[in-house]
């Protein structure tokens, strides 16, 4: 009888653990992560990152700190470039691309370091003897409070562990409790793959000191200290040489603090021990609950700005790993909102402005955000700035996390300094340049073999982030602070553009269409006048021009920018009706390359429009069709945005489905997907796909790049009804709330932070009580909604270009006043 009762209670527990409230924003599992890093759950505060395994017998918390990188301050320019530049350019214009690439490999490719590695600090281990056999296991990551919780039962005692990474307190805080007094007995110790020394201080403190590794001839110079304070309630605490043993405690709080000698990319003079002790000494005067309360408040100040409801079905009651497995075949719209909010969670957790006392300013999200356990991670877990780093920040403005854009903007400012020398020494140009990778030390020479490296375009792309941030806020004080970087990026191209011999257009040479070689020139990427380059130069010259105009400065420079811009190569539509990737019509419809760089003009840029450039719009679609759907994670994340911009919600949703497939699904051939912890798979793990897809979901519901606030531009049939609140649009508008039913906007409330005309494009008629809502006429008077005219495309005589049929929309003008809120209804 007693046995039956115990089993009954156990089953009840199991059920309680499994039956989640339907719409909770939680990732949850019925098993620990074991040894699998991509099953562990991430927490972070922009500077500290931790992966929590939730293993009962041996808890592992893998620790990162954003300035722990191999090497030290260094430069990697190749000064031979300048003398070789005229010959390389001549060879390209003579069609001798292979020879040009060979010479560039000798003279432009960096002969120095190829970028340093973002490295781990180490692991905090908590060993619980006898906890290898447990029941009623449950593990979650709560996105609404940014806290992981692990629960299980051993010997009738319910154990709970919570882990957070706090911005206000600058510590990782861990709370261990048990359902009966005196039941917490474990050994805590630090380990690390780095060169470290470990000791204990006093009865209850673990100390690890280390220095990062040498790499590619650059001496490892980042010194770091990890300090852990272990504060039991009841019981005993006894240190050994390198561990602290807690016996018979009722509850325990652990605070983890990490400090380094890093000040900025050229300065390593901070005291790592003091940097680690400062937040730790403050934290230990506070309770876990107090730290938790402040953490949740700081986190929610960002997270709660946006809410998304795409509906909830029975599937939402399943554990997260099961939901991923079933997504394609099932009906689980809530998993998309969970994935969208997880993207926002990740950005809040891995990219914070440096505002806390004593904290180093956070670094931008690397290829892995801030979570890396390997000494030599894939692509060094650094910054690939020919797409991946930019993609990390696509959600920042639209999903209302503009402050989290700051670490990237700071990196742009840093590169605008380091890249000046590269521009001058390698290319004899003013302004600044960066190639396709950079790192903590802000290197701006080339990285990797020239096939991948010959791309002097990152300044143009990264500066768009500085400019677009302004287009959302209209904050001129901010614009002034980034104007020198934007101007410097433009100045480089003013000096570097060269006239090509056939059409006499101004082009970038040498460069490439990122990482893709045309079929007719196998293994040779180098060339001139690639479509993406032309689009990027158009954008950077425009950004500099419009910034100068907004700030009422540099009138002479603006004239130069206008003259140069007018002479750029137009976009071209090739023989298959595709948007040409290269200056010549070399595209192969069978090419499935993951980079589709020439569609930069469609997204994130806005040079292609259904309404203004129908031929180019149709050509972009043809190019995208040719490339197909399934690819690496980040490529699919980009495709969600492209299909959204092509106003095809069902196809965008299809790409979300590809993205939300398990990375190791049986029978899966290639392509990325999603790990059980919702991390994006390149594979391996790369965080860009998370951010790309998050931005894509927003782009399906709201667009503001093409002269209007376009509501529900790409709504898939499966999201018939839903609600979203808090998205931001250019020109200082905020979508306070939008509700849609049966594919129609039922109610929308818009706040105008800057005033001005609000031009709205919608799928259905809307009305307003007492507002001056009128059918739109003429050009939009709002200065943030002026599309930039691109040159008329050249169209191959062999191309059949049919403008795509467009769904009918209505366009309204609503004059707004600064600070006021407006509601429109069906
Ligand atoms: C670019 C991509 C790869 C990978 C790497 C980090 O080079 O082409 O797919 O994402 O960055």
């Amino acid at each position: 009888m007693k046995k039956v009762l115990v089993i009954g209670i156990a089953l009840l527990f199991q059920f309680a653990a499994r039956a989640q409230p339907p719409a909770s924003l939680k990732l949850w599992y019925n098993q620990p992560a074991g040894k699998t890093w991509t099953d562990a759950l991430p927490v972070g505060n922009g500077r500290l990152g931790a992966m929590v395994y939730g293993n009962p017998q041996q808890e592992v918390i893998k620790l990162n700190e954003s300035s722990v990188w191999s090497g030290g301050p260094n430069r990697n320019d190749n000064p031979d470039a300048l003398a070789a530049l005229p010959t390389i350019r001549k060879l390209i214009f003579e069609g001798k691309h292979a020879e040009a690439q060979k010479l560039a490999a000798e003279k432009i490719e960096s002969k120095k370091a190829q970028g340093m590695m973002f490295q781990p600090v180490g692991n905090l281990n908590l060993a619980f003897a006898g906890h290898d056999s447990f029941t009623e296991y449950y593990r979650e990551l709560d996105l609404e409070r940014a806290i992981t919780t692990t629960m299980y039962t051993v010997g009738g005692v319910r154990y709970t562990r919570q882990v957070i990474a706090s911005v206000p307190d600058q510590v990782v805080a861990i709370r261990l409790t048990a359902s009966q007094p005196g039941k917490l007995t474990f050994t805590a110790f630090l380990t690390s793959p780095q060169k470290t020394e470990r000791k204990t201080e006093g009865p209850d403190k673990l100390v690890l000191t280390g220095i990062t590794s040498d790499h590619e001839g650059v001496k490892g110079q980042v010194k770091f200290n990890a300090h852990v304070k272990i504060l039991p309630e009841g019981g005993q605490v006894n240190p050994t040489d390198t561990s602290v043993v807690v016996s018979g405690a009722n509850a325990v709080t652990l605070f983890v603090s990490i400090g380094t000698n890093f000040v900025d990319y050229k300065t390593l003079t901070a005291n790592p021990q003091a940097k680690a002790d400062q937040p730790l000494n403050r934290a230990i005067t506070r309770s876990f609950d107090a730290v938790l309360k402040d953490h949740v408040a700081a986190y929610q100040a960002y997270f709660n700005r946006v809410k998304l409801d795409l509906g909830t079905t029975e599937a939402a009651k399943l554990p997260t790993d099961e939901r991923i497995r079933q997504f394609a075949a099932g009906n689980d719209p809530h998993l998309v909102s969970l994935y969208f909010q997880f993207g926002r969670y990740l950005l809040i957790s891995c990219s914070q402005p440096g505002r806390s006392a004593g904290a180093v300013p956070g670094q931008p999200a690397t290829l892995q955000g801030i979570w890396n356990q390997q000494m030599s991670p894939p692509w060094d877990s650094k910054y690939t700035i020919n797409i991946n780093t930019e993609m990390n920040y696509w959600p920042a403005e639209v999903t209302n996390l503009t402050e989290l854009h700051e670490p990237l903007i700071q990196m742009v400012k840093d590169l605008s300094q380091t890249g000046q020398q590269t521009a001058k020494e390698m290319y004899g140009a003013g302004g600044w340049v960066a190639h396709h990778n950079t790192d903590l030390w802000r290197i701006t020479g080339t990285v990797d073999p020239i096939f991948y490296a010959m791309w002097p375009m990152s300044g143009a792309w990264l500066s768009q982030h500085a400019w677009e941030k302004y287009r959302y806020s209209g904050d001129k004080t901010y614009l002034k602070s980034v104007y020198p970087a934007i101007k410097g990026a433009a100045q480089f191209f003013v000096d570097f553009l060269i006239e090509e011999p056939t059409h006499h257009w101004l082009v970038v040479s040498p460069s490439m269409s990122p990482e893709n070689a045309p079929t007719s020139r196998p293994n040779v990427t180098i060339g001139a006048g690639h479509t993406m380059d032309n689009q990027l130069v158009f954008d950077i010259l425009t950004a500099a021009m419009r910034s100068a105009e907004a700030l009422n400065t540099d009138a002479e420079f603006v004239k130069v920018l206008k003259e140069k811009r007018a002479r750029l190569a137009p976009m071209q539509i090739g023989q298959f009706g595709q948007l040409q990737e290269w200056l010549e019509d070399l595209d192969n419809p069978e090419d499935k390359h993951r980079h589709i760089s020439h569609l930069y003009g469609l997204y994130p840029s806005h040079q292609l429009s259904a309404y203004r450039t129908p031929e180019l719009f149709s050509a972009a679609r043809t190019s995208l069709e040719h490339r197909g759907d399934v690819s690496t994670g980040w490529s699919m994340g980009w495709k969600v945005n492209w299909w959204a911009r092509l106003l095809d919600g069902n196809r965008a949703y299809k790409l979300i489905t590809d993205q939300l497939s398990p990375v190791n699904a049986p029978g899966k051939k290639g392509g990325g997907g999603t790990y059980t912890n919702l991390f994006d798979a390149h594979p391996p793990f790369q965080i860009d796909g998370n951010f790309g897809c998050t931005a894509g979901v927003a782009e399906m519901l709201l667009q503001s790049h093409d002269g209007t606030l376009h509501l529900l531009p790409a709504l898939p049939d499966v999201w018939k009804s839903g609600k979203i609140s808090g998205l931001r649009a250019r020109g200082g508008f905020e979508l306070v709330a939008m509700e849609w039913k049966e594919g129609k906007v039922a109610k929308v409330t818009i706040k105008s932070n800057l005033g001005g005309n609000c031009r709205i494009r919608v799928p259905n008629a809307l009305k307003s009580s007492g507002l001056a809502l009128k059918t739109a006429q003429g050009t939009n008077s709002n200065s943030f909604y002026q599309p930039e005219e691109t040159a008329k495309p050249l169209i191959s005589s062999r191309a059949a270009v049919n403008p795509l049929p467009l769904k009918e929309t209505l366009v309204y003008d609503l004059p707004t006043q600064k600070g006021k809120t407006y509601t429109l209804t069906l």
Side-chain angles (χ1 to χ4, degrees):
M1 181 63 193
K2 209 169 157 195
K3 205 167 162 196
V4 172
L5 203 71
V6 169
I7 293 174
I9 289 172
L11 277 175
L12 211 70
F13 253 120
Q14 197 87 350
F15 182 75
R18 282 163 195 269
Q20 283 294 296
S24 72
L25 285 175
K26 288 177 177 176
L27 283 63
W28 68 277
Y29 309 86
N30 285 318
Q31 66 286 327
K35 289 191 172 11
T36 310
W37 190 81
T38 47
D39 285 350
L41 294 171
V43 296
N45 70 1
R47 191 176 65 83
L48 304 173
M51 291 291 280
V52 183
Y53 280 60
N55 295 340
Q57 72 282 22
Q58 174 89 33
E59 181 58 280
V60 187
I61 298 170
K62 297 213 164 178
L63 299 167
N64 286 103
E65 200 277 351
S66 65
S67 62
V68 175
W69 286 63
S70 67
N74 74 98
R75 299 192 58 89
N76 73 334
D77 311 310
N78 187 341
D80 295 343
L82 189 56
L85 186 62
T87 316
I88 292 169
R89 286 176 154 174
K90 186 164 170 282
L91 288 169
I92 290 172
F93 286 148
E94 287 169 1
K96 298 173 182 161
H97 292 81
E99 278 176 60
Q101 183 165 289
K102 191 162 167 279
L103 188 58
E106 284 162 26
K107 307 290 185 187
I108 294 183
E109 200 173 288
S110 174
K111 302 299 172 236
K112 296 185 181 151
Q114 307 294 311
M116 296 296 118
M117 305 178 287
F118 175 50
Q119 295 191 317
V121 169
N123 308 333
L124 173 62
N125 307 277
L126 308 175
F128 290 79
H131 286 212
D132 40 345
S133 158
F134 50 86
T135 54
E136 296 134 23
Y137 185 88
Y138 174 79
R139 176 168 70 102
E140 70 172 31
L141 172 62
D142 180 353
L143 301 186
E144 280 166 317
R145 301 199 314 142
I147 180 166
T148 68
T149 304
T150 305
M151 289 188 278
Y152 61 90
T153 302
V154 171
V157 181
R158 189 86 179 134
Y159 291 91
T160 304
R161 297 176 190 161
Q162 296 167 294
V163 185
I164 58 171
S166 154
V167 170
D169 278 279
Q170 287 297 311
V171 289
V172 172
I174 302 154
R175 178 74 175 164
L176 310 176
T177 56
S179 61
Q180 291 173 24
K183 291 291 183 187
L184 281 163
T185 296
F186 64 96
T187 303
F189 57 100
L190 288 162
T191 50
S192 175
Q194 298 268 13
K195 232 188 301 162
T196 55
E197 283 176 19
R198 294 176 295 151
K199 62 175 184 179
T200 49
E201 268 176 24
D204 57 5
K205 187 174 174 184
L206 299 170
V207 172
L208 177 142
T209 52
I211 184 158
T212 56
S213 50
D214 306 347
H215 188 52
E216 297 173 339
V218 185
K219 209 171 155 33
Q221 292 160 55
V222 178
K223 294 182 184 153
F224 56 91
N225 273 45
H227 296 177
V228 184
K229 191 88 172 163
I230 300 145
L231 306 167
E233 287 153 37
Q236 285 188 350
V237 58
N238 291 300
T240 71
D241 283 354
T242 56
S243 67
V244 167
V245 181
V246 175
S247 337
N250 305 326
V252 184
T253 297
L254 297 93
F255 292 120
V256 183
S257 178
I258 303 168
T260 78
N261 60 347
F262 182 84
V263 178
D264 61 36
Y265 67 89
K266 49 187 180 325
T267 322
L268 291 172
T269 51
N271 178 337
Q273 185 189 336
K275 282 271 180 188
D277 270 340
Q278 200 181 25
L280 192 67
N281 290 340
R282 179 172 180 268
I284 60 178
T285 65
R286 291 157 57 73
S287 67
F288 178 83
D289 284 349
V291 171
L292 175 64
K293 191 163 166 261
D294 289 354
H295 161 69
V296 171
Y299 171 77
Q300 290 184 343
Y302 293 121
F303 187 75
N304 287 355
R305 289 175 187 170
V306 173
K307 298 208 187 314
L308 172 63
D309 180 0
L310 297 171
T312 305
T313 57
E314 281 296 297
K317 293 183 180 157
L318 295 169
T320 308
D321 42 350
E322 194 52 41
R323 291 174 75 178
I324 301 166
R325 272 193 289 277
Q326 294 190 9
F327 185 74
N331 172 20
D332 190 0
H334 182 262
L335 186 62
V336 180
S337 21
L338 183 73
Y339 190 84
F340 168 83
Q341 292 292 19
F342 183 60
R344 296 185 65 246
Y345 167 84
L346 290 175
L347 197 64
I348 301 169
S349 305
C350 76
S351 182
Q352 285 275 335
R355 26 171 221 163
S356 324
V360 294
Q363 292 299 320
T366 73
L367 287 172
Q368 299 187 186
I370 195 172
W371 299 281
N372 166 44
Q373 64 164 343
Q374 298 178 58
M375 287 295 281
S376 185
W379 291 285
D380 302 334
S381 189
K382 55 185 185 299
Y383 301 107
T384 310
I385 44 182
N386 68 3
I387 169 64
N388 316 83
T389 303
E390 287 88 349
M391 183 176 279
N392 286 355
Y393 286 88
W394 289 350
E397 298 302 322
V398 66
T399 80
N400 215 331
L401 298 171
T402 184
E403 297 89 336
L404 312 182
H405 220 154
E406 282 178 30
L408 183 78
I409 305 299
Q410 183 57 47
M411 183 164 91
V412 178
K413 290 181 183 167
D414 294 346
L415 292 171
S416 77
Q417 298 298 315
T418 57
Q420 287 177 27
Q421 193 177 326
T422 310
K424 191 160 169 239
E425 278 186 10
M426 288 183 64
Y427 301 119
W432 63 280
V433 66
H435 293 85
H436 97 299
N437 266 246
T438 190
D439 61 9
L440 183 72
W441 315 110
R442 308 303 190 235
I443 56 165
T444 44
T446 72
V447 162
D448 296 339
I450 206 73
F451 177 92
Y452 301 100
M454 189 61 260
W455 197 67
M457 304 304 298
S458 294
W461 196 346
L462 286 169
S463 299
Q464 291 307 310
H465 283 257
W467 167 237
E468 285 288 327
K469 185 170 154 70
Y470 164 74
R471 294 190 68 215
Y472 276 85
S473 72
D475 178 349
K476 286 199 179 151
T477 312
Y478 158 77
L479 183 62
K480 224 171 162 184
S481 76
V482 291
Y483 177 65
I486 294 174
K487 182 181 174 185
Q491 181 66 57
F492 173 77
F493 291 101
V494 165
D495 295 349
F496 192 65
L497 287 171
I498 174 176
E499 191 179 289
E500 53 82 36
T502 317
H503 310 270
H504 308 290
W505 294 322
L506 291 182
V507 296
V508 180
S509 176
S511 185
M512 75 166 86
S513 188
E515 309 192 25
N516 197 15
T519 313
S520 54
R521 297 201 287 260
N523 304 319
V524 179
T525 49
I526 203 168
H530 309 96
T531 298
M532 185 197 213
D533 293 350
N534 304 332
Q535 295 168 342
L536 278 168
V537 175
F538 183 90
D539 276 356
I540 188 59
L541 300 184
T542 304
M545 196 188 291
R546 301 293 172 230
S547 306
E549 285 166 355
L551 297 171
N552 208 0
T553 185
D554 282 336
E556 284 308 307
F557 186 54
V558 168
K559 272 193 212 150
V560 175
L561 294 168
K562 281 194 178 145
E563 278 162 24
K564 296 277 177 188
R565 199 180 84 161
R567 294 183 57 200
L568 297 176
M571 283 182 263
Q572 302 182 68
I573 297 175
Q575 56 184 318
F576 305 107
Q578 89 285 8
L579 182 66
Q580 271 181 220
E581 181 164 1
W582 292 276
L583 197 63
E584 313 87 6
D585 192 357
L586 304 176
D587 299 64
N588 175 356
E590 300 304 319
D591 179 359
K592 303 291 175 209
H593 202 275
R594 60 196 179 283
H595 288 262
I596 320 178
S597 304
H598 45 311
L599 296 194
Y600 161 84
L602 178 64
Y603 184 95
S605 183
H606 18 80
Q607 296 171 27
L608 308 188
S609 155
Y611 306 100
R612 289 181 294 109
T613 65
E615 289 134 332
L616 287 168
F617 191 74
S618 160
R621 187 186 167 108
T622 302
S623 292
L624 196 52
E625 287 282 10
H626 288 169
R627 286 292 164 93
D629 291 350
V630 172
S631 189
T632 58
W634 63 260
S635 180
M636 296 197 289
W638 204 346
K639 286 170 187 169
V640 178
N641 290 279
W642 281 321
W643 284 112
R645 283 277 169 99
L646 288 168
L647 309 176
D648 190 334
N650 286 337
R651 191 67 176 265
Y653 182 78
K654 153 73 168 63
L655 263 301
I656 294 177
T657 308
D658 292 332
Q659 180 82 358
L660 278 172
S661 66
V663 59
N664 50 4
K668 185 164 175 163
K669 286 191 214 89
T674 296
Y675 293 100
T676 52
N677 66 357
L678 285 188
F679 270 173
D680 160 67
H682 179 286
F685 164 53
Q686 217 170 272
I687 207 161
D688 40 20
N690 285 103
F691 293 130
C693 198
T694 295
V697 171
E699 207 63 27
M700 291 163 78
L701 302 174
L702 168 70
Q703 297 179 11
S704 66
H705 63 282
D706 195 18
T708 63
L709 261 87
H710 193 165
L711 309 182
L712 304 183
L715 190 71
D717 295 341
V718 288
W719 299 346
K720 284 213 158 29
S721 302
K723 284 184 218 156
I724 188 149
S725 60
L727 293 184
R728 289 169 78 233
R730 291 170 180 83
F733 295 110
E734 189 170 328
L735 205 62
V736 177
M738 174 168 71
E739 190 174 352
W740 69 93
K741 286 182 182 148
E742 296 303 317
K744 290 183 179 164
V745 176
K747 187 175 176 188
V748 59
T749 303
I750 297 168
K751 182 168 183 213
S752 171
N753 289 309
L754 300 173
N757 186 48
C758 181
R759 180 166 285 186
I760 306 166
R761 186 183 287 277
V762 257
N764 52 279
L766 288 178
K767 55 183 189 301
S768 62
S769 58
L771 297 180
L773 186 70
K774 286 192 307 240
T775 299
Q777 255 161 19
T779 50
N780 189 345
S781 61
N782 191 316
S783 62
F784 292 94
Y785 283 81
Q786 306 301 318
E788 298 287 341
E789 288 295 317
T790 50
K792 253 184 99 57
L794 291 193
I795 304 179
S796 161
S797 55
R798 296 164 66 185
V801 186
N802 303 314
L804 299 167
L806 294 175
K807 283 191 194 132
E808 231 169 272
T809 53
L810 293 136
V811 186
Y812 296 106
D813 275 341
L814 176 68
T816 70
Q817 281 174 29
K818 187 174 169 162
K820 291 224 161 128
T821 297
Y822 302 84
T823 296
L824 309 174
T825 52
L826 187 65

